[in-house]
Amino acid sequence: MAELTALESLIEMGFPRGRAEKALALTGNQGIEAAMDWLMEHEDEPDVDEPLPTPLGHALGREPTVSEQSGPEGTGSTAGEGKPVLSEEERQEQTKRMLELVAQKQREREEREEREALERERQRRKQGQELSAARQRLQEDEMRRAAEERRREKAEELAARQRVREKIERDKAERAKKYGGNVGSRPSPPTEPGPVPSSPSQEPPSKREYDQCRIQVRLPDGTSLTQTFRAREQLAAVRLYVELHRGEEPGGDQDPVQLLSGFPRRAFSEADMERPLQELGLVPSAVLIVAKKCPS
């Protein structure tokens, strides 16, 4: 049984002549199967029917024949020369085989595309799972960092409160150690009676000695504290009393205080803290003002 040429077989299967010639040329004229593979892979491309820039004969690796140079008019006159004519039954049989080959190629292509689609879907799901896992890890890290930050802040707050309590206890102990001998009342020395003045108006009245003094302390929030101290106690005892009774400020350490006198206006220094109240002119009573002390 005579065989059709590759170009004729492709035309018999319904492919346009120009597209079939292009497929054969671009596959190096390696046969109908290679040309069919090329046609099926490039059937959706917009330029599949554009002619080749070079003559067909050169693309096939040979010189153009007289029939190819003469164009469509001369093709019909020389196509059948030197080749037996196929009967109708033979032509149908050859076409049937070609169609079966096309169907097989189409099935192979569909199976390949299905496998590729499944692989793409698998990769997409895998990437989605990896992205979800990475997002979850990031959220867990953020939650862990936030919990650690809260624990650290709570520990710092507790440590600050503990420092305040320790400072108060130290101040209490220092006060007990420093002023413990002055807390009790000291017997006043006996006074010898002086000569009786001849007239009350001739001698100035004697200056009264005060053993205690009453101190009123005005706090920055408008409240006040009132306490009685020994006249010989140091001003540091008043400051310690204020620090112990002014109340804790929420959220941090207590700031040191600065004591001021109301009138005349005076800011007491650290050296004044060691001086007795009597020497500072705060006996028998005085009003002091509390201001926050700027840390040096």
Side-chain angles (χ1 to χ4, degrees):
M1 181 178 63
E3 297 286 340
L4 292 173
T5 64
L7 179 60
E8 291 173 343
S9 298
L10 293 174
I11 295 174
E12 285 289 332
M13 284 186 285
F15 292 106
R17 181 183 185 86
R19 190 181 298 185
E21 290 178 349
K22 185 176 181 180
L24 290 170
L26 293 178
T27 57
N29 203 20
Q30 295 180 1
I32 189 171
E33 292 189 13
M36 286 174 60
D37 289 339
W38 187 92
L39 288 169
M40 295 176 69
E41 291 177 359
H42 297 81
E43 63 179 352
D44 296 330
E45 295 181 0
D47 59 346
V48 65
D49 292 322
E50 293 183 3
L52 293 173
T54 57
L56 181 61
H58 294 291
L60 295 175
R62 56 181 175 80
E63 293 295 329
T65 61
V66 176
S67 61
E68 292 170 346
Q69 293 177 353
S70 59
E73 293 79 3
T75 303
S77 60
T78 59
E81 294 180 0
K83 183 178 65 172
V85 180
L86 297 175
S87 65
E88 184 65 23
E89 184 179 353
E90 291 174 340
R91 184 179 295 275
Q92 290 178 359
E93 183 68 21
Q94 180 118 6
T95 303
K96 180 180 178 181
R97 290 202 312 272
M98 293 299 103
L99 292 176
E100 290 176 353
L101 182 60
V102 170
Q104 180 182 355
K105 293 291 184 182
Q106 184 69 23
R107 286 194 301 271
E108 293 176 355
R109 178 187 178 186
E110 291 176 354
E111 291 175 357
R112 185 177 66 252
E113 291 178 349
E114 184 177 358
R115 288 194 302 270
E116 292 175 352
L118 290 175
E119 180 64 20
R120 287 194 299 270
E121 179 65 17
R122 188 182 68 83
Q123 292 292 337
R124 186 188 67 79
R125 291 183 179 180
K126 181 180 179 182
Q127 293 176 357
Q129 292 174 355
E130 292 176 352
L131 181 61
S132 178
R135 189 181 295 112
Q136 184 176 359
R137 288 195 300 270
L138 181 61
Q139 291 177 353
E140 291 175 354
D141 292 342
E142 290 179 353
M143 292 175 62
R144 185 165 52 252
R145 285 195 296 269
E148 292 176 355
E149 182 68 17
R150 287 195 296 270
R151 285 195 296 269
R152 185 183 63 80
E153 291 176 354
K154 187 174 181 180
E156 290 179 354
E157 182 178 356
L158 292 176
R161 291 180 177 271
Q162 184 63 26
R163 288 195 299 270
V164 172
R165 294 190 187 98
E166 292 174 355
K167 181 178 181 297
I168 292 174
E169 293 299 327
R170 287 196 305 270
D171 291 344
K172 285 182 179 179
E174 290 177 1
R175 181 184 178 189
K177 182 179 178 181
K178 234 177 202 183
Y179 309 114
N182 296 330
V183 173
S185 60
R186 294 184 178 179
S188 57
T191 57
E192 296 182 358
V196 178
S198 58
S199 173
S201 60
Q202 293 178 357
E203 275 189 353
S206 61
K207 186 176 181 181
R208 182 178 176 182
E209 294 289 334
Y210 292 94
D211 186 50
Q212 294 182 342
C213 65
R214 185 173 180 273
I215 301 295
Q216 182 183 13
V217 181
R218 295 179 182 175
L219 301 178
D221 58 357
T223 61
S224 62
L225 299 173
T226 303
Q227 181 65 18
T228 300
F229 297 86
R230 293 289 178 180
R232 297 183 182 87
E233 285 188 86
Q234 298 177 348
L235 184 60
V238 179
R239 183 174 66 179
L240 179 59
Y241 174 83
V242 172
E243 291 176 349
L244 293 176
H245 293 83
R246 62 173 172 165
E248 292 185 4
E249 295 179 2
D253 295 334
Q254 295 280 9
D255 294 327
V257 298
Q258 173 82 43
L259 295 178
L260 308 173
S261 62
F263 184 85
R265 191 75 169 182
R266 174 185 177 185
F268 295 101
S269 63
E270 288 296 326
D272 293 331
M273 295 297 152
E274 303 297 327
R275 298 174 62 186
L277 300 175
Q278 189 175 31
E279 184 179 340
L280 293 172
L282 302 178
V283 177
S285 65
V287 177
L288 299 180
I289 301 171
V290 173
K292 290 187 178 181
K293 185 178 181 181
C294 298
S296 56

